[in-house]
Amino acid sequence: MDMAGGVAMASMTDPDRIWTEAAGRLRAEIGEGPFSSYIAPSAVRVDGAGQLVLVTPTAYARDWVRKNALRRMNELWLGLDGLSRRLDVRCRAEMSSTPPASAVSAARGELAAVMPMPRPTVGPVADGARAVRAAGLQDRLTFDSFVEGQGNAFALAIARQAAGWADGHFNPIFFCGPYGYGKTHLLNAIAWEAQRLRPDARVVYLTAERFLSTFVRAMQDRSTAAFKDSLRSADMLLIDDVQFVGGKASTQEELLSTLTVLIEDGKRIILSADRPPMALTEVEPRLRSHLASGLTCPVEPADRLLKLAVARNRLAALARLGVVSGDVQPEVLEHLVDRTPGSMRELEGAVNTLAAVAGARLSALTVDEAQVLLGAALRGGPERRITVDEIQKTVAEHFNMKQADLLSERRTRSVARPRQIAMWLCKQHTTRSYPDIGRRFGGRDHTTVLHGVRKIEELMPQDDQIARDVEALTRKLRG
């Protein structure tokens, strides 16, 4: 095979390149919201048997991809892959940390026949702004673009303090909260600002997934010493989504050793996860203890006011790029926010969609026109009046209970959790206020409803079963 043919064949068989192309096409087809929620956090890997696998962070995301996107993903993949391989999908918990050596060798042999195996990328150590950028940070995720609200004010203050290299007693700093509410934004912002203030400092930013994959590759290629040096020479180490190292003994041991060395040397450590350190039950106890030994900063789900502010901020950024012109009418923005009850990433995706379809017409757009233009892109889809009574009946039927149980004084979990889910659905799919919803649930106080709504928002990213229940109930209510 000549050199040109080898390069062409490599571009047709490199899983990373194929995935980049296929994912770009899939994003355009399914929309920014679903793509950001279920596809973007996933990555293509080769399992011990040489099978290509899309690895999702949760079982819920795996089930969603399998049901809604896997068939189309394979159509796109087969159209690009010179080896005509197919993709499977599994959640991270189903993937072992290190494939058997024989299987790795077999997989390597299959690929080596058509392309050279790349050497591992060892630690994105930053020697300046260009190196930080190469580490996977996003340009727009800075402190200037972060919108402050009641749920994230404390975390933002701590992030600014960390970015300023301020002397303090907290190490590591651990940001925790549901997926999609700003943890990654804060870590990106810290890295950018820390590097700006100290250009000669070594700032290392990693996702836990990249930490895992790079470490496994280093072990396979017997280059662990270089991997360790690249991290332990850092002045500031930032690791995002650290919950993904759970269940992988060798990787946890390496992370624990790295944290221990850096803390002893007085270096800064910034981490994030979807839960507080001691709630990471899949993580080894000694590592949990180290993660919890500094300062834990919660990043809470956004309230409606913060979501409106984020939507306005995103539209302002798009206006500066010339994508839209004029100010959106307040009722249109409120409609968009109320019909996008998920994470901030989903909200930004919905705003992007609105901007793309409206363009220069944005300022003249009415609520009805926005609904028609966006159609199914909004989570609420076509408008249909859903009543509190209908929600209560649907929830009661789903959980095999009586509607009267939801209105009763019973507080057992088997009743309280469905009641909270019903309250959350009422807030998302009706125009009822908290006090009005409380009255419809046996005369409860509005604070009880508010607590129930926030509890479900908190649990959905963490509990696959609750997420599935909410999704199933939403489909039923929309007919």
Side-chain angles (χ1 to χ4, degrees):
M1 181 183 295
D2 60 24
M3 183 175 295
V7 172
M9 180 62 76
S11 67
M12 293 163 49
T13 57
D14 182 352
D16 289 338
R17 294 185 184 181
I18 297 171
W19 175 240
T20 298
E21 177 68 23
R25 298 183 188 182
L26 190 65
R27 181 196 298 266
E29 292 182 13
I30 69 175
E32 183 66 31
F35 184 90
S36 296
S37 299
Y38 302 106
I39 308 298
S42 307
V44 174
R45 295 288 179 263
V46 180
D47 70 5
Q51 167 73 46
L52 289 172
V53 181
L54 181 72
V55 183
T56 63
T58 66
Y60 176 57
R62 175 204 61 198
D63 294 343
W64 187 95
V65 170
R66 185 171 288 157
K67 181 177 180 181
N68 298 282
L70 185 58
R71 180 177 177 180
R72 180 54 181 158
M73 284 166 50
N74 267 302
E75 290 174 352
L76 293 169
W77 189 278
L78 290 171
L80 297 166
D81 187 3
L83 296 180
S84 300
R85 294 165 293 186
R86 297 187 67 85
L87 273 179
D88 191 11
V89 58
R90 299 175 208 160
C91 66
R92 191 170 301 276
E94 295 172 319
M95 297 292 287
S96 61
S97 60
T98 307
S102 59
V104 172
S105 299
R108 283 186 173 185
E110 176 188 351
L111 292 176
V114 295
M115 61 180 291
M117 288 303 294
R119 298 295 295 173
T121 301
V122 181
V125 176
D127 291 313
R130 180 175 298 177
V132 174
R133 188 185 306 269
L137 297 173
Q138 300 180 53
D139 287 356
R140 71 183 185 90
L141 299 183
T142 65
F143 284 125
D144 288 341
S145 62
F146 191 88
V147 181
E148 183 176 356
Q150 183 176 356
N152 62 30
F154 175 63
L156 177 58
I158 294 299
R160 289 187 181 279
Q161 178 179 327
W165 301 93
D167 292 332
H169 304 289
F170 307 122
N171 201 27
I173 295 173
F174 193 101
F175 295 100
C176 60
Y179 174 78
Y181 284 98
K183 301 186 303 297
T184 295
H185 194 146
L186 287 175
L187 264 65
N188 273 249
I190 292 170
W192 284 120
E193 182 68 2
Q195 192 70 72
R196 185 187 70 81
L197 294 174
R198 286 182 53 183
D200 295 331
R202 302 173 72 86
V203 177
V204 178
Y205 171 89
L206 283 165
T207 62
E209 177 187 11
R210 188 169 181 182
F211 179 93
L212 169 64
S213 63
T214 306
F215 178 60
V216 171
R217 183 72 63 85
M219 287 196 300
Q220 293 169 357
D221 291 335
R222 299 180 179 178
S223 59
T224 53
F227 172 80
K228 292 178 180 181
D229 289 344
S230 72
L231 296 182
R232 297 178 187 184
S233 61
D235 295 299
M236 177 182 288
L237 174 64
L238 304 99
I239 301 182
D240 200 6
D241 287 327
V242 75
Q243 73 271 6
F244 291 146
V245 302
K248 302 165 181 66
S250 59
T251 308
Q252 291 185 67
E253 188 65 32
E254 176 57 31
L255 179 57
L256 176 59
S257 298
T258 297
L259 297 183
T260 300
V261 170
L262 290 175
I263 290 173
E264 288 177 351
D265 290 345
K267 305 302 178 63
R268 313 302 174 92
I269 301 171
I270 319 291
L271 306 160
S272 80
D274 60 356
R275 284 157 285 161
M278 299 313 292
L280 299 174
T281 54
E282 66 274 27
V283 171
E284 191 265 339
R286 287 188 305 149
L287 177 55
R288 279 207 310 268
S289 178
H290 270 69
L291 298 177
S293 64
L295 174 65
T296 299
C297 289
V299 182
E300 298 178 359
D303 57 21
R304 190 169 184 266
L305 288 177
L306 179 55
K307 287 185 175 182
L308 286 168
V310 168
R312 292 191 191 96
N313 188 65
R314 183 58 183 155
L315 281 173
L318 293 171
R320 289 192 293 271
L321 295 172
V323 178
V324 295
S325 59
D327 295 326
V328 66
Q329 296 186 38
E331 58 269 24
V332 172
L333 200 62
E334 291 172 3
H335 176 79
L336 181 68
V337 167
D338 291 341
R339 289 297 180 270
T340 314
S343 72
M344 305 299 262
R345 287 196 180 101
E346 293 178 44
L347 176 59
E348 287 197 340
V351 172
N352 291 340
T353 303
L354 178 68
V357 298
R361 296 185 51 222
L362 182 67
S363 60
L365 210 62
T366 67
V367 171
D368 290 340
E369 288 173 332
Q371 183 65 56
V372 171
L373 285 173
L374 289 167
L378 283 180
R379 179 172 289 191
E383 286 284 2
R384 185 177 77 82
R385 179 179 172 81
I386 299 175
T387 66
V388 173
D389 184 67
E390 181 182 0
I391 290 172
Q392 291 175 343
K393 289 179 179 177
T394 303
V395 171
E397 179 182 354
H398 179 82
F399 288 101
N400 195 27
M401 56 195 300
K402 297 178 181 179
Q403 183 178 355
D405 292 333
L406 298 175
L407 280 61
S408 71
E409 294 298 321
R410 294 176 58 190
R411 297 184 180 181
T412 59
R413 176 163 298 216
S414 62
V415 175
R417 193 68 80 221
R419 183 186 294 130
Q420 290 174 333
I421 290 174
M423 290 175 174
W424 184 89
L425 290 167
C426 287
K427 192 58 187 172
Q428 300 304 324
H429 299 289
T430 76
T431 59
R432 303 285 184 179
S433 65
Y434 286 115
D436 196 11
I437 294 173
R439 285 191 290 271
R440 301 295 297 274
F441 278 81
R444 284 176 163 78
D445 185 81
H446 76 280
T447 57
T448 301
V449 180
L450 179 61
H451 170 76
V453 170
R454 287 180 173 174
K455 188 64 177 178
I456 298 305
E457 288 180 344
E458 173 190 336
L459 290 174
M460 277 196 294
Q462 305 173 10
D463 191 315
D464 283 345
Q465 184 57 55
I466 288 179
R468 285 194 292 267
D469 286 334
V470 169
E471 183 184 26
L473 286 162
T474 300
R475 287 200 304 268
K476 290 178 183 179
L477 290 168
R478 291 174 181 163

